[in-house]
Amino acid sequence: MTAWLQALRLNYPNITHLYSAGKSTEGRELWVLIVSDKPKEHELLEAELKIVGNMHGNEVVGREAVLYLAEILCLNYGRNKYLTDLVDNARFHLMPSMNPDGYEKGFAGDRISAMGRANANDVDLNRNFPTKYPEHRESSGGSDPEIENIAVMKWLQSYPFVLSTNLHGGSLVANYPYDDSVTGQDGIYTASADDKLFVELSYRYARAHTKMWKTGRRCGLSADGDNFINGITNGAGWYHLAGGMQDWQYENTNCLEITVEMGCFKFPTDDMMPKLWEEHQYSLLSFMEMGLTGVTGLVTDRNNNTVANATISVDTGKDIISTESGEYWRLLPPGDHQVTVSARGLESDTFTVTVVPGARAVRHDITLLACGDNETKSELYIRGRGKNLIAVLSFDEIGGEAVDELARLTCTGDFVIDKDVSLMLIPNMTNELKGRLSDFDPAAVLIISEGIVETVTFSVSENEPRLFDKAKMDESLLKALGNSIECDRKLLESKTALRVDDLQLKKAFELGISIGCDAKDLQKKAATIGTIADMIKNELIKDSVSEFSVVPSAHPGDHFTPDQMILVTNAAVAELQRKECVQELTHGANKFYLMGSGKPPYTLIAAVEKLNCHDYDTISPFKLLFDEAIGAVPELDFVIVLATGGMKVRYINDTIGIGKSIAETYRANHDLMKSTESEGCAKGFPNEKEAIRAFSWNDNASRMDKSGVDHPADNLDALLVQIGCCYENMASGHLYSENQRSMKSVLIERTRGVRIIGGIDGMTVSVDHMHKSLPLLRGGRRFIPLPNGEHLVKVRSPGGQMHAQFAVVISDKHPTSEKFIGVQSSNMVIITIASILMIVCCTFMCRQRVTSVLNRRGFFNGIGSNHGFERIPLYKSDDEDEDEVFDLQKL
């Protein structure tokens, strides 16, 4: 290899340059050959492209392909117009072997072995980069970065690389980030911010290959080979890999990289190489040409100085950083894209670029003006790129000066807004800007005004965040800005209310903020406004549920066997909290997680075991646990207990009379439980073999609580679901998928009934011929579960007199009554105890509340079957590929 590279350098000195990126463990050079019209220097705005081969030492097709490509580029320069154009307009960095030590240990004819895969220290270099999730690191990746990886990381950050491919062997597919999933398990489609672009790049490679692009079976990891749609795959959607080069590179550089598996043989014999090169040559050229697309340009200030480290943000995709020379290159999928360029101390600017398929990069230079200059004063500013949209505007001069100052502070970096917030700042709100404000579609609008320091809410009540506390907000505002009693109360003037109403933002929370009567301490006032925007963001997101359907760690049951479940539960809780899906509540020794809108009915979901498996003939011993939950949330009236130790359902029907119907619903929707009258587990209590039966809080079971202490839990109906045998594999191990339909049906059934609101303490409610009346709970409200049909509801005052009675009709079409005074539509709260199987159910409801699409993006089968393929045709035939299928069973 070294001799070949030296020969190319000597024979083509005008277009080649050979250098070493570092040394291997055994002292071999990590050679890189540059091919370009000016190989020894970086030309302004010329894209730097690279190919890395032989990262796994015994996977040598990539090594040979890089050498072939180098020769093809050199031989054809000045002779072939297409190849000459590539060499003139890009600088190719070609590293044939990242693992020369491993290569020396490999052998020709090796199809599947690991001989020579690792480096001289027996470390897999494609598991040895710093990981996004350190706990996912595999033992083959070692603990500290190897000398090869240290050299390559330094190399990757020394050049402004735009596009790269990493060539491997062992299957036939183009693989794109991310390789590492949140859970660290296989088969979980884990998209990057540039997922759509990566799909296009990968398909570009696969489509130019003679066979790769076809949908169908390939050689690979499984006994019958792998199946790939269109010859491409998301890395983690295929199998999990922590510490890989493409993930580290995506997170830490501007470069986009895919990994290509070039064929079933890892180390083909010499006679096979020409055919393999022929199959890949057009793929490599077509893929690398994509590095010349998108948008490129220079970032300067108004004095024509280059702006280094400017941030280039796009509407979809990660941010990139300009070079020391102010250059940027941003690959983009076809279509219109909004690009924002920003730098500390300079005013950001935004432009729209149209990317045409097959066209070279659009040149767009941009000049950024200094923050706060008179020339830079604008009628409108956008700050931040978060998903929580907040508008800040003013109708008067003093308020406008404060908004202008906030624009300056957020430009210079003296005030940093929350990363999850986007601000639209309008110092002087005019009719001409109403359209821009409407298009922005803010969740909240802050109206900044002169006047006595206070806040005024203009929103209708349903737009006001449930957690918003005006008194506390005013108290904080006064502490920050002081009192200003001599001022007028401008926000209370009717003309102000009319102007706010004229904005026509019917869904936004509108909050007026008076900041005093003078322009003194503008910086403090502006910073206070920014802080309030961040506070409002927190109140908005805590009052809503975000979609959670594609976050892998939210569903450990899909990806973990029961014995692994304990290892991921805590990570799932943290992920749910990060996504604002649950709220932690500590009461006594236990932690609870609240989810939902805060309206009845209230359900406790609890897993009652961790490592040990038990059969149950009672759940009375858990009364103390349930009492603790009721102490935290007194409105609880139903509990779902999840456990193993059998395949059966038990219910307590003592108080509100729904335990039996809920149990029957669960069993009817569980494929394994509904098919038998007996539980099917060989070991357990001999008298507990029925698939479904009743329990009681007052049973005579040997383990029941006989203390005579009154328990609030005695007023709960309950459901005990045992979802797996202790010692037999009756269940398939896919606990979430087996119980998903049952749990969903049960939680929907919980909403069937009537909600009473607006009562007072001491009132009771009864329905039809209920054997006893139920008290209204905290806040004078109660949810009464009811079957389908017409029911007479009676509400009595504390003295027993009839306060109100009315009829409600419950049906499948209208499961929750909304027809009468004091009745609202159903939104449930689920409270869960931090334990293993709790997370499965808690997570499911988070998703069910938000979306009815339970299999978005192929999440449950691990294949992103339709994701990102809007423009890509699907091909089903792969008959020509059968000679490439690698069947481990035949070896």
Side-chain angles (χ1 to χ4, degrees), residues 261-330:
E261 302 285 344
M262 302 187 75
C264 301
F265 264 92
K266 293 189 173 185
F267 201 141
T269 54
D270 289 346
D271 61 308
M272 299 171 65
M273 286 297 185
K275 180 176 182 290
L276 292 170
W277 161 246
E278 183 180 324
E279 291 176 345
H280 284 276
Q281 60 181 331
Y282 296 116
S283 293
L284 282 167
L285 291 169
S286 179
F287 175 79
M288 299 311 289
E289 187 183 18
M290 291 295 288
L292 306 180
T293 64
V295 60
T296 185
L298 291 173
V299 184
T300 59
D301 62 20
R302 66 175 182 173
N303 297 318
N304 208 32
N305 298 313
T306 58
V307 179
N309 300 314
T311 300
I312 292 84
S313 306
V314 293
D315 44 8
T316 56
K318 70 169 185 175
D319 295 347
I320 63 168
I321 306 298
S322 66
T323 69
E324 291 299 316
S325 301
E327 306 157 282
Y328 74 91
W329 300 262
R330 190 48 166 102

Side-chain angles (χ1 to χ4, degrees), residues 331-626:
L331 304 187
L332 295 167
D336 294 333
H337 299 275
Q338 193 174 72
V339 182
T340 299
V341 182
S342 56
R344 185 177 177 86
L346 298 171
E347 189 64 56
S348 62
D349 202 355
T350 299
F351 63 92
T352 299
V353 62
T354 300
V355 176
V356 178
R360 289 290 173 90
V362 176
R363 172 78 180 265
H364 191 105
D365 298 336
I366 194 160
T367 299
L368 301 182
L369 302 177
C371 301
D373 284 358
N374 290 332
E375 298 176 21
T376 68
K377 288 292 177 72
S378 173
E379 61 182 12
L380 183 149
Y381 307 87
I382 299 292
R383 296 286 188 261
R385 299 186 64 241
K387 63 183 178 181
N388 298 286
L389 310 182
I390 299 176
V392 181
L393 57 88
S394 180
F395 299 122
D396 61 53
E397 183 177 353
I398 291 177
E401 289 184 18
V403 177
D404 257 326
E405 179 64 10
L406 180 58
R408 188 188 70 80
L409 293 177
T410 51
C411 174
T412 60
D414 293 320
F415 184 90
V416 180
I417 62 173
D418 190 294
K419 63 182 178 61
D420 293 327
V421 169
S422 287
L423 292 182
M424 174 177 276
L425 306 175
I426 306 177
N428 180 26
M429 186 66 213
T430 63
N431 286 333
E432 289 73 21
L433 293 174
K434 282 173 57 179
R436 297 281 299 276
L437 180 62
S438 178
D439 291 343
F440 186 63
D441 193 22
V445 180
L446 308 184
I447 299 96
I448 312 304
S449 172
E450 63 175 286
I452 185 173
V453 175
E454 63 178 342
T455 63
V456 172
T457 54
F458 295 99
S459 293
V460 292
S461 59
E462 57 263 31
N463 291 354
E464 184 174 306
R466 182 169 52 90
L467 299 178
F468 176 72
D469 188 324
K470 183 181 182 303
K472 288 186 177 179
M473 182 68 75
D474 283 344
E475 182 181 351
S476 299
L477 193 63
L478 283 168
K479 284 183 179 179
L481 301 183
N483 211 332
S484 50
I485 290 199
E486 301 301 322
C487 296
D488 294 330
R489 306 185 74 185
K490 293 290 185 72
L491 287 175
L492 298 182
E493 295 178 357
S494 58
K495 65 179 181 180
T496 303
L498 289 173
R499 293 192 72 175
V500 173
D501 189 56
D502 190 49
L503 298 176
Q504 293 294 301
L505 299 173
K506 297 180 180 178
K507 296 180 180 180
F509 171 50
E510 296 165 328
L511 178 68
I513 304 172
S514 292
I515 57 172
C517 308
D518 55 53
K520 295 179 180 178
D521 298 323
L522 269 183
Q523 187 168 339
K524 179 190 288 187
K525 292 177 178 178
T528 300
I529 295 166
T531 302
I532 290 175
D534 289 345
M535 293 168 62
I536 293 298
K537 166 255 176 179
N538 291 329
E539 291 168 352
L540 288 170
I541 63 174
K542 287 179 181 177
D543 199 31
S544 64
V545 178
S546 301
E547 182 174 330
F548 217 83
S549 62
V550 296
V551 178
S553 65
H555 302 282
D558 287 344
H559 317 295
F560 289 78
T561 57
D563 62 321
Q564 293 172 309
M565 188 75 73
I566 184 70
L567 302 178
V568 298
T569 301
N570 289 341
V573 171
E575 186 69 13
L576 290 167
Q577 289 176 304
R578 187 178 70 82
K579 289 291 187 179
E580 305 290 345
C581 192
V582 298
Q583 178 183 348
E584 182 178 306
L585 174 65
T586 300
H587 190 85
N590 292 300
K591 286 184 179 179
F592 302 90
Y593 296 90
L594 282 69
M595 179 184 303
S597 68
K599 301 175 183 178
Y602 298 82
T603 301
L604 168 69
I605 301 180
V608 293
E609 59 195 27
K610 286 190 176 181
L611 296 176
N612 298 316
C613 183
H614 305 276
D615 195 5
Y616 295 88
D617 61 353
T618 179
I619 57 172
S620 293
F622 300 112
K623 282 184 178 181
L624 290 173
L625 177 65
F626 304 148

Side-chain angles (χ1 to χ4, degrees), residues 637-656:
D637 59 4
F638 191 72
V639 57
I640 298 175
V641 179
L642 295 173
T644 51
M647 289 290 293
K648 54 196 175 186
V649 182
R650 299 292 183 259
Y651 61 88
I652 294 175
N653 207 54
D654 285 357
T655 302
I656 56 177

Side-chain angles (χ1 to χ4, degrees), residues 99-115:
N99 187 5
D101 298 348
Y103 173 79
E104 296 298 325
K105 296 179 175 62
F107 60 94
D110 179 10
R111 195 162 189 176
I112 64 169
S113 87
M115 183 66 69

Side-chain angles (χ1 to χ4, degrees), residues 176-201:
Y176 54 92
Y178 284 111
D179 279 330
D180 196 358
S181 63
V182 178
T183 59
Q185 294 294 295
D186 297 342
I188 304 170
Y189 194 110
T190 307
S192 71
D194 286 285
D195 194 55
K196 185 174 181 180
L197 176 59
F198 273 123
V199 167
E200 181 187 1
L201 292 171

